[in-house]
Amino acid sequence: MNLSTAILSGPGAAQRRAMAKAITLLESTRADHRAQGDALLTELLPHTGHAFRLGISGVPGVGKSTFIEALGLHLIAQGHRVAVLAIDPSSTVSGGSILGDKTRMEHLSVHPQAYIRPSPSSGTLGGVAAKTREAMLVCEAAGHDVVIVETVGVGQSETAVAGMTDMFVLLQLPNAGDDLQAIKKGVMELADLVVINKADIDRDAATRAQAQITSALRILGQHGNPEHAHHDASHWHPQVLQLSALKGEGVDAFWQAVTRFRSLQEADGRLASRRRHQALAWMWERIESGLKQAFRQDPAVRALLPQMTNEVEQGTLAASTAARRLLDALKTNGERHA
């Protein structure tokens, strides 16, 4: 039984093993593995697109893993199958993931209706791994109808997940900062829903944070579209909720808000439009990555690179000049073989 057949065969141990092997294959940088991965995605693509993709971000210590476990168990109780793609910081020694997020989801990780895959960020900016989109498609083809992407969690730069999910949720802490912190641009203006987690620790602080962030979101407008009046019920407007993931308080209200968001986005065609734009962005991202790899592998570039690198490091050549010479070498070599 090949990987695609095993993934599409239905829930069970064989499917879980096939999913793990498929994602490992897609994460490989070997050229032959990349070709096999492309063929696999082509086979799986007709069976994807039916899940709801939820992005979760927040600073370290905000309780992302605890929240995702509480949400996952809540959804499974309602009959959903949940997949979690947890992006862990890469080890500086081995380059791999330290698997911390999966370890913290001790109940969800062993549930037969859940699938958790930690992946190393490998230095990729934006808090996600390079092959997270491909992994989402594998999970969808396997029948998981809710796919959650948990970012590394480093702060204001965690914006890439908003470009690959249907809804972007930002977790915040009570007493996380002053009024200005609430209106910092970055992840805040991309959030479709902001959640004040650990609200049970200090109810007053959580209420103050909720009021501050709600006010900030009104100022920012609907993702930079001030023409969407806040009282217009046909459009989704970012909201701020309080909950305690550890105690399971507010999880049901959170999912009700997500369900309403999905209904509104599907009704006016914004969800489908968002996915089309994301697919094109994914294509260009892969093109840029491929061009960079081809640049490094070009014989003329490889021959010139040590000299350029040394001169830039020694301060005898401007980095911009070195870059132009390397690009010229690539162009000349390409024309010679054209």
Side-chain angles (χ1 to χ4, degrees), residues 6 9 11 20 38 40 44 46 48 64 66 78 97 100 127 138 160 177 194-195 242 249 254-255 268 280 286 297 304:
S9 64
D38 289 342
L40 175 64
L44 296 179
T48 65
K64 295 189 297 295
T66 304
Q78 295 185 354
S97 169
V138 172
V194 179
V195 173
Q242 295 184 36
E249 299 173 355
F254 168 83
W255 189 247
D268 61 10
L280 288 176
R286 292 294 89 205
Q297 293 175 348
L304 191 59

Side-chain angles (χ1 to χ4, degrees), residues 53 269-282:
R53 305 164 183 173
R270 292 177 65 87
L271 186 63
S273 175
R274 184 169 179 164
R275 287 196 175 185
R276 287 195 297 269
H277 285 98
Q278 288 174 351
L280 288 176
W282 178 19

Side-chain angles (χ1 to χ4, degrees), residues 143-165:
H144 294 275
D145 60 333
V146 178
V147 179
I148 300 173
V149 180
E150 178 192 1
T151 70
V152 169
V154 292
Q156 292 288 320
S157 66
E158 306 264 307
T159 57
V161 71
M164 63 178 67
T165 55

Side-chain angles (χ1 to χ4, degrees), residues 106-123:
E106 55 181 335
H107 299 296
L108 187 63
S109 62
V110 297
H111 202 289
Q113 297 303 313
Y115 179 79
I116 300 179
R117 170 75 182 209
S119 295
S121 61
S122 302

